[in-house]
């Protein structure tokens, strides 16, 4: 993590610091006064309802070496200790992280997409970590605050920084990309998330393509070549290498599924190199191929990539398999959802052996097209080998109504406890159960009950 003197901070960012404090050292940063560690730099934010500057005095008493302080905020008379005066604390955080990133100077890999960002990030780490000192974004620290905090956690000997970039509107990823200046940028896909903010899938593609705006010259852009909405943005790119990934024959790296097992998949790239992935879901083949492309870019050979990819583990609640005492397979894919990822989940479950039950909750933030998109998920069940459909939430009722005729048994609930009770009654030993919904639906609570 960052460990520098205040004199170095003053060299890096526009700020004012009393000369008597220049030899003070900061080690790490905190934006929460309740978890300030010794020698942290405390960074308060001036919000609409709460002003973090009121906690500066306590943070310094609890061991912080220094604190940012916005020039337009009157200094609390209880504050004693080093203050770094800045025009805007959020901008200062971003400026500090950019300077520190240039100081550490790792290769930067930036990842965005409507679905699969975190999974792809995990796979890239798996491919590279045995050969390089790698640090990746933890959790959902992928916005204008989280990404700078991730950068400031880098060790001085970090060789590769994998940064996830999220957004809810235009120009957010542009900010992150120009801050990080990646050597490699990845767009996993274009889905329907944030439709209500961006208006259309074309708008989502435009916002995601902002990841290329900070891409270094001679950098590498890897993208979903099966998505035509990305093509106009690709055509505008100059002085970077382009690698398209997908199942269509025109792609640079063409991935083709060879085998599906209950434990994972096998696939080949360009009909030559065969890989095995211990994770469910045909859609993960493409995510893995993004990681393979990066491994090749960094001069790893086939055997190394094959071995490292076969050891991958994913962040929780993403196609996470659990087996109960009666051999029921519970697949926790409850971290988030979109119509596209729900269809992929249906495909995954359909390809498994045995009696199959799918539990689907609302997909949030779809705007005026929500009903149509939920109905499309239900219709997608046609000709799929799914035994039972359970749905939960007001919007998921559209999945139930359009999909109930395509399964042997279907039930809809708007009470989670009632859903859980019905599901427990319906379950039989050796069933396969997949649970998926938007983060706000908290369907992991269903998973936790089943595993008990």
């Amino acid at each position: 993590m960052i460990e520098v003197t205040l004199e170095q901070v003053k060299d890096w960012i526009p700020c004012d610091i009393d000369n008597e404090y220049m030899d003070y050292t900061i080690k790490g940063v905190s934006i929460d006064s309740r978890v300030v560690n010794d020698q942290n730099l405390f960074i308060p934010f001036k919000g609409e309802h709460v002003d973090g500057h009121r906690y500066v005095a306590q943070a310094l008493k609890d061991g912080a070496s220094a604190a940012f302080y916005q020039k337009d905020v009157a200094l609390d008379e209880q504050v004693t200790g080093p203050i770094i005066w800045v025009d805007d604390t959020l901008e200062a955080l971003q400026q500090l992280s950019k300077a520190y990133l240039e100081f550490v100077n790792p290769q930067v890999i930036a990842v965005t997409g409507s679905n699969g960002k975190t999974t792809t990030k995990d796979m890239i780490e798996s491919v590279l970590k045995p050969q390089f000192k790698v640090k990746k974004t933890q959790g959902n620290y992928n916005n204008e605050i989280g990404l700078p905090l991730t950068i400031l956690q880098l060790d001085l000997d970090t060789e590769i920084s994998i940064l996830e970039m999220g957004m809810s509107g235009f120009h957010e990823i542009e900010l992150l990309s120009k801050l990080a200046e990646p050597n490699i940028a990845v767009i996993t896909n274009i889905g329907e998330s944030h439709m209500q903010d961006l208006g259309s899938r074309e708008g989502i593609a435009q916002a995601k393509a902002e990841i290329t705006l900070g891409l270094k010259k001679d950098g590498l852009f890897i993208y979903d070549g099966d998505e035509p909405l990305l093509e106009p943005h690709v055509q505008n790119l100059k002085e970077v290498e382009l690698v398209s990934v997908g199942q269509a024959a025109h792609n640079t790296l063409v991935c083709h599924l060879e085998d599906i097992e209950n434990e994972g998949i096998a696939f080949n790239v360009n009909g030559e190199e065969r890989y095995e992935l211990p994770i469910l879901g045909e859609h993960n083949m493409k995510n893995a191929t993004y990681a393979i492309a990066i491994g090749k870019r960094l001069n790893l050979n086939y055997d190394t990539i094959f071995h490292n990819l076969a050891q991958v583990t994913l962040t929780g609640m993403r196609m996470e398999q659990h087996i109960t005492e009666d051999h029921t397979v519970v697949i926790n894919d409850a971290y988030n959802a979109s119509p596209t990822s729900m269809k992929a989940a249906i495909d995954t479950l359909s390809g498994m052996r045995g009696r199959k039950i799918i539990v689907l909750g609302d997909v949030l933030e779809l705007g005026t097209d929500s009903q149509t998109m939920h109905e499309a998920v239900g219709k997608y069940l046609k000709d799929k080998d799914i035994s039972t459909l359970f749905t939960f939430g007001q919007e998921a009722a559209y999945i139930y109504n359009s999909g109930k005729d395509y399964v042997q048994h279907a039930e809809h609930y708007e009470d989670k406890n009632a859903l859980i009770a019905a599901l427990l009654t319906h379950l039989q030993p050796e069933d396969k159960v997949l649970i998926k919904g938007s983060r706000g639906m908290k369907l992991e609570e269903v998973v936790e009950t089943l595993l008990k």
Side-chain angles (χ1 to χ4, degrees), residues 424-438:
L424 288 172
T425 301
H426 187 78
L427 274 178
Q428 298 176 10
E430 300 188 12
D431 280 350
K432 311 296 187 297
V433 188
L434 192 151
I435 297 103
K436 189 168 185 64
S438 279

Side-chain angles (χ1 to χ4, degrees), residues 170-243:
F170 293 114
H171 305 300
E172 295 177 11
I173 288 180
E174 176 182 4
L175 170 72
L176 302 179
S177 181
K178 289 181 176 179
L179 190 160
E181 296 185 338
N183 304 89
I184 300 172
V186 180
I187 297 180
T188 60
N189 59 16
I190 304 300
E192 305 87 3
S193 301
H194 309 298
M195 187 78 83
Q196 69 182 28
D197 298 308
L198 296 169
S200 65
R201 292 187 69 247
E202 287 83 359
I204 295 168
Q206 179 183 336
K208 296 295 185 184
E210 291 172 9
I211 199 170
T212 63
L213 296 178
L215 186 60
K216 285 189 168 75
K217 288 183 179 180
D218 301 320
L220 172 63
F221 178 46
I222 307 171
Y223 65 98
D224 180 359
D226 294 336
E227 176 52 77
L229 291 178
L230 287 174
E231 283 306 315
H233 305 285
V234 172
Q235 291 170 7
N236 294 329
L237 292 176
K238 309 296 181 186
E239 300 181 300
V240 299
E241 181 183 350
L242 302 175
V243 170

Side-chain angles (χ1 to χ4, degrees), residues 6 17 19 29 83 93 108 131 182 343 348 350 360 386 394 437:
L6 297 196
I17 307 171
N19 288 333
V29 299
I83 294 299
L93 167 64
V108 176
Q131 278 67 42
K343 291 173 184 177
T348 297
S350 182
L360 299 176
I386 305 293
Q394 292 183 348

Side-chain angles (χ1 to χ4, degrees), residues 363-408:
V363 179
L364 305 177
E365 298 183 12
L366 293 181
T368 57
D369 293 324
S370 182
Q371 178 176 341
T372 302
M373 291 185 176
H374 281 87
E375 288 174 344
V377 172
K379 293 173 183 175
Y380 194 75
L381 288 163
K382 185 178 182 180
D383 299 325
K384 303 293 180 181
D385 185 17
I386 305 293
S387 309
T388 304
L389 168 67
F390 283 91
T391 53
F392 168 65
Q394 292 183 348
E395 298 300 299
Y398 298 121
I399 300 176
Y400 168 80
N401 289 331
S402 62
K404 61 186 178 182
D405 293 335
Y406 302 128
V407 296
Q408 296 170 20

Side-chain angles (χ1 to χ4, degrees), residues 17 46 98 130 162 212 249 258 279 287 363 372 383 448 451:
I17 307 171
K46 187 179 178 182
K98 184 175 179 66
I162 307 171
T212 63
E258 289 189 355
I279 297 168
N287 296 332
V363 179
T372 302
D383 299 325
E448 290 164 4
L451 296 183

Side-chain angles (χ1 to χ4, degrees), residues 29-38 40 42 62:
V29 299
S30 174
I31 61 171
D32 186 341
S33 61
R34 297 166 297 181
V35 288
V36 170
N37 294 318
D38 190 42
N40 273 178
F42 177 64
D62 290 343

